[in-house]
Amino acid sequence: MTRNVTIVIKKQGIWELILYTVTCIKKEMVSIQNKVVVITGSNNGIGKALAQNFVKSGAVVYGLDIDTKNGAKLENELGINFNYIETDISKYDDVLYAQNIIKKKYG
């Protein structure tokens, strides 16, 4: 069974959101093995930690970020399941370009 959940937490930090999401995944035994995950801001901080954990869990991760230096480093660190696409998410054409790359490969 597939279920999409949107969670909005006001006046709480991102860690509560991550903890809640991980708790839901563990309770429902949802596998992300071979799922495609897109992370914006993937090359540093929380985005990087999410990318590392999703790859470790077997997901195929597309990291969108403007930081090309760390994008290349992260690709080398995480291997074939991490794909960096230089993207400025404030620019429509960049986002469309990234979307087309992912759609072309995964439909």
Side-chain angles (χ1 to χ4, degrees), residues 9 13-25 46-47 49-50 53:
I9 298 177
I14 189 70
W15 293 114
E16 284 90 355
L17 176 61
I18 292 169
L19 181 60
Y20 180 80
T21 303
V22 169
T23 302
C24 288
I25 288 171
I46 293 171
L50 288 170
N53 283 304

CSV table of all heavy atoms in Angstrom, one decimal, residues 9 13-25 46-47 49-50 53:
chain,number,residue,atom,x,y,z
A,9,ILE,N,4.9,21.2,10.6
A,9,ILE,CA,5.1,21.5,12.0
A,9,ILE,C,5.5,22.9,12.2
A,9,ILE,O,6.5,23.4,11.7
A,9,ILE,CB,6.2,20.6,12.6
A,9,ILE,CG1,5.8,19.1,12.4
A,9,ILE,CG2,6.5,20.9,14.0
A,9,ILE,CD1,6.9,18.1,12.9
A,13,GLY,N,11.5,22.6,15.4
A,13,GLY,CA,12.7,22.5,14.6
A,13,GLY,C,12.6,21.3,13.6
A,13,GLY,O,11.7,20.5,13.7
A,14,ILE,N,13.5,21.3,12.6
A,14,ILE,CA,13.6,20.3,11.6
A,14,ILE,C,13.8,18.9,12.2
A,14,ILE,O,13.4,17.9,11.7
A,14,ILE,CB,14.6,20.6,10.5
A,14,ILE,CG1,14.5,19.7,9.3
A,14,ILE,CG2,16.0,20.6,11.1
A,14,ILE,CD1,13.3,19.9,8.5
A,15,TRP,N,14.5,18.9,13.3
A,15,TRP,CA,14.8,17.6,13.9
A,15,TRP,C,13.6,16.8,14.4
A,15,TRP,O,13.5,15.6,14.3
A,15,TRP,CB,15.8,17.7,15.1
A,15,TRP,CG,17.1,18.2,14.6
A,15,TRP,CD1,17.7,19.3,14.8
A,15,TRP,CD2,18.0,17.5,13.6
A,15,TRP,NE1,18.9,19.4,14.1
A,15,TRP,CE2,19.1,18.3,13.4
A,15,TRP,CE3,17.9,16.2,13.0
A,15,TRP,CZ2,20.1,17.9,12.6
A,15,TRP,CZ3,19.0,15.8,12.2
A,15,TRP,CH2,20.0,16.7,12.0
A,16,GLU,N,12.5,17.6,14.9
A,16,GLU,CA,11.3,16.9,15.2
A,16,GLU,C,10.6,16.3,14.0
A,16,GLU,O,10.1,15.2,14.0
A,16,GLU,CB,10.3,17.9,15.9
A,16,GLU,CG,10.6,18.2,17.3
A,16,GLU,CD,11.5,19.4,17.4
A,16,GLU,OE1,12.0,20.0,16.4
A,16,GLU,OE2,11.8,19.9,18.6
A,17,LEU,N,10.7,17.0,12.9
A,17,LEU,CA,10.1,16.5,11.6
A,17,LEU,C,10.8,15.2,11.2
A,17,LEU,O,10.2,14.3,10.8
A,17,LEU,CB,10.2,17.6,10.6
A,17,LEU,CG,9.7,17.2,9.2
A,17,LEU,CD1,8.3,16.8,9.2
A,17,LEU,CD2,9.9,18.3,8.2
A,18,ILE,N,12.2,15.3,11.2
A,18,ILE,CA,13.0,14.1,10.8
A,18,ILE,C,12.7,12.9,11.7
A,18,ILE,O,12.5,11.8,11.3
A,18,ILE,CB,14.5,14.4,10.8
A,18,ILE,CG1,14.7,15.4,9.6
A,18,ILE,CG2,15.3,13.2,10.6
A,18,ILE,CD1,16.1,16.0,9.7
A,19,LEU,N,12.7,13.2,13.1
A,19,LEU,CA,12.4,12.1,14.0
A,19,LEU,C,11.0,11.5,13.8
A,19,LEU,O,10.9,10.3,13.8
A,19,LEU,CB,12.5,12.7,15.4
A,19,LEU,CG,12.3,11.7,16.6
A,19,LEU,CD1,13.3,10.6,16.5
A,19,LEU,CD2,12.4,12.4,17.9
A,20,TYR,N,10.0,12.4,13.6
A,20,TYR,CA,8.7,11.9,13.3
A,20,TYR,C,8.6,11.1,12.1
A,20,TYR,O,8.0,10.0,12.1
A,20,TYR,CB,7.7,13.1,13.2
A,20,TYR,CG,6.3,12.6,13.0
A,20,TYR,CD1,5.5,12.2,14.0
A,20,TYR,CD2,5.7,12.7,11.7
A,20,TYR,CE1,4.2,11.8,13.8
A,20,TYR,CE2,4.5,12.2,11.5
A,20,TYR,CZ,3.7,11.8,12.5
A,20,TYR,OH,2.4,11.4,12.3
A,21,THR,N,9.3,11.5,11.0
A,21,THR,CA,9.3,10.8,9.8
A,21,THR,C,9.9,9.4,9.9
A,21,THR,O,9.4,8.4,9.5
A,21,THR,CB,10.0,11.6,8.7
A,21,THR,OG1,9.3,12.8,8.5
A,21,THR,CG2,9.9,10.9,7.3
A,22,VAL,N,11.1,9.4,10.6
A,22,VAL,CA,11.8,8.1,10.8
A,22,VAL,C,11.0,7.2,11.7
A,22,VAL,O,10.9,6.0,11.4
A,22,VAL,CB,13.2,8.4,11.4
A,22,VAL,CG1,13.8,7.1,11.9
A,22,VAL,CG2,14.1,9.1,10.5
A,23,THR,N,10.3,7.7,12.7
A,23,THR,CA,9.5,6.9,13.5
A,23,THR,C,8.3,6.3,12.7
A,23,THR,O,8.0,5.1,12.9
A,23,THR,CB,8.9,7.8,14.7
A,23,THR,OG1,9.9,8.3,15.4
A,23,THR,CG2,8.0,6.9,15.6
A,24,CYS,N,7.7,7.1,11.8
A,24,CYS,CA,6.6,6.5,11.0
A,24,CYS,C,7.2,5.4,10.1
A,24,CYS,O,6.5,4.4,9.9
A,24,CYS,CB,6.0,7.6,10.2
A,24,CYS,SG,5.0,8.8,11.1
A,25,ILE,N,8.3,5.7,9.5
A,25,ILE,CA,8.9,4.6,8.6
A,25,ILE,C,9.2,3.4,9.4
A,25,ILE,O,8.8,2.3,8.9
A,25,ILE,CB,10.2,5.2,7.9
A,25,ILE,CG1,9.9,6.2,6.9
A,25,ILE,CG2,11.0,4.0,7.3
A,25,ILE,CD1,11.1,7.0,6.4
A,46,ILE,N,22.1,19.5,7.1
A,46,ILE,CA,21.0,18.6,7.3
A,46,ILE,C,20.8,17.9,5.9
A,46,ILE,O,20.6,16.6,5.9
A,46,ILE,CB,19.8,19.2,7.8
A,46,ILE,CG1,19.9,19.7,9.2
A,46,ILE,CG2,18.6,18.3,7.7
A,46,ILE,CD1,18.8,20.6,9.7
A,47,GLY,N,20.9,18.6,4.8
A,47,GLY,CA,20.7,18.0,3.5
A,47,GLY,C,21.7,16.9,3.3
A,47,GLY,O,21.4,15.8,2.7
A,49,ALA,N,23.4,15.1,5.6
A,49,ALA,CA,23.1,14.0,6.5
A,49,ALA,C,21.9,13.2,6.0
A,49,ALA,O,21.9,12.0,6.0
A,49,ALA,CB,22.7,14.6,7.9
A,50,LEU,N,20.9,13.8,5.4
A,50,LEU,CA,19.8,13.1,4.8
A,50,LEU,C,20.2,12.3,3.6
A,50,LEU,O,19.9,11.1,3.5
A,50,LEU,CB,18.7,14.1,4.4
A,50,LEU,CG,17.8,14.7,5.5
A,50,LEU,CD1,17.0,15.8,5.0
A,50,LEU,CD2,17.0,13.7,6.3
A,53,ASN,N,22.1,9.2,4.8
A,53,ASN,CA,21.3,8.2,5.4
A,53,ASN,C,20.4,7.5,4.4
A,53,ASN,O,20.1,6.3,4.5
A,53,ASN,CB,20.5,8.8,6.6
A,53,ASN,CG,21.3,9.0,7.8
A,53,ASN,OD1,21.9,8.0,8.3
A,53,ASN,ND2,21.4,10.2,8.3
